[in-house]
Amino acid sequence: MDLGIKGKRALVCAASKGLGRGCAMALAEAGVNLVINARGAEALEATAAELRKFGVNVVAVAADITSEDGRAAVLSAAGSVDILVTNAGGPPPGIWSDWERADFIKALDANMLTPIALMKALLPGMIAKGWGRVVNITSQSVKSPIPQLGLSNAARAGLTGYVGGTSRQVAPFGVIINNLLPGIHATDRAVSLDTGVMKARGITMEQAQAERAAEIPARRYGTATEFGATCAFMCSQYAGYMVGQNILLDGGAMNATM
Ligand code: NAP
């Protein structure tokens, strides 16, 4: 399927590994030129080299997207883009009594205020062109809270509320914003959460992963390739009537009629 976005320009944040990388790969396959970001330069350059194999232009900016300076560097390299995929690392797990104000501020900065700042910076250019796509990578925790990820639950719920309203304010200008909600996917983030389960319960990594997979109707973790393909569709010409939605990719883990 031709997604109709060949030659467009996208900024994909936190894209050297995992889900962000999956999104960048699928967009490159669709012929989209890319600006990609992550903190570590080595993995970022390796991903940029893979993306260039699709024949697209790739600019890599090593920076912390959650810091003001990092965002300024990324936005300056990106210039005007047609597509924005927001992403950053997720907050650490814990229990409700662990988290102080500073922990919440950090989580809100990373997973709510950073995507909002990126949208504020890039939406005007999309509105001026009469075409734009934004996909925010959030989490299944928006629909079904994960008790040990209270910081994530809180920050991503705030972003979801902002997107719900803003997506309807910019849709008249051809600019489409949606959120993409990962359930458990086989990435470094999943390994780090599996390690927490392994240590807390005194079981092996294989047992921890098997137990978590057994709770998913698809009986496996998702892949970054599947996730990226969905993201690319949400950035395509065909997603123009999908406004302010929260698209869940969780192998059926959340048991709900809708
Ligand atoms: P991952 O495999 O750990 O990859 C994270 C990527 O983000 C890496 O490229 C990392 O590179 C980059 N990154 C992290 N912090 C950054 C920052 N401050 N600035 C710029 N780049 C940054 O994680 P993932 O599984 O793809 O997860 C992506 C998002 O989805 C996270 O917010 C996570 O909480 C959420 N999520 C994941 C799952 C899952 O099962 N995988 C489920 C629900 C939600 P550097 O470290 O070099 O910066």
Side-chain angles (χ1 to χ4, degrees), residues 84-127:
L84 165 67
V85 179
T86 75
N87 187 28
I95 179 168
W96 61 272
S97 50
D98 290 344
W99 303 311
E100 303 298 341
R101 179 180 165 77
D103 303 305
F104 279 102
I105 297 295
K106 200 169 170 204
L108 292 173
D109 256 341
N111 299 112
M112 176 184 168
L113 299 175
T114 290
I116 290 174
L118 291 166
M119 282 186 268
K120 272 198 83 178
L122 295 171
L123 287 175
M126 297 181 191
I127 289 169

Side-chain angles (χ1 to χ4, degrees), residues 8 25-26 53 74 76-77 85 89 114 119 125 182-183 192 196 217 229-230 245:
K8 300 264 187 209
M25 294 294 279
K53 292 182 183 166
V74 170
S76 147
V85 179
T114 290
M119 282 186 268
S192 121
T230 308
Q245 298 302 300

Side-chain angles (χ1 to χ4, degrees), residues 22 31 69 82 127 195 197 200 218:
D69 288 353
D82 309 292
I127 289 169
T195 305
V197 172

Side-chain angles (χ1 to χ4, degrees), residues 14 16-17 19 39-40 64-65 87-90 156 182-183 185 187 189:
S16 65
K17 298 179 189 167
L19 304 179
R39 291 164 304 181
D64 182 345
I65 199 67
N87 187 28
R156 297 188 199 277
H185 281 70
T187 68
R189 169 78 171 169

Side-chain angles (χ1 to χ4, degrees), residues 8 10 21 34 58 85 96 112 155 165-166 171-172 195 206 235 258:
K8 300 264 187 209
R21 185 179 189 277
L34 288 157
V58 182
V85 179
W96 61 272
M112 176 184 168
T166 304
T195 305
E206 290 69 29
C235 298
M258 288 196 285

Side-chain angles (χ1 to χ4, degrees), residues 13 23 26 96 117 121 147-148 158 189 192 199 202 204 215 230 238-239 244 252:
C13 303
C23 296
W96 61 272
Q148 66 276 22
R189 169 78 171 169
S192 121
K199 286 185 182 155
T204 66
E215 287 166 14
T230 308
Y238 304 108

Side-chain angles (χ1 to χ4, degrees), residues 13-21 37-41 43-44 63-67 87-91 110-111 137-141 146 149 152 156 181-190 193 212 227:
C13 303
S16 65
K17 298 179 189 167
L19 304 179
R21 185 179 189 277
N37 148 262
R39 291 164 304 181
L44 186 65
D64 182 345
I65 199 67
T66 68
S67 75
N87 187 28
N111 299 112
I137 299 179
T138 64
S139 171
Q140 64 180 0
S141 69
I146 302 169
L149 291 179
S152 171
R156 297 188 199 277
L181 284 53
I184 302 177
H185 281 70
T187 68
D188 288 358
R189 169 78 171 169
L193 294 175
R212 291 222 293 161
F227 191 87

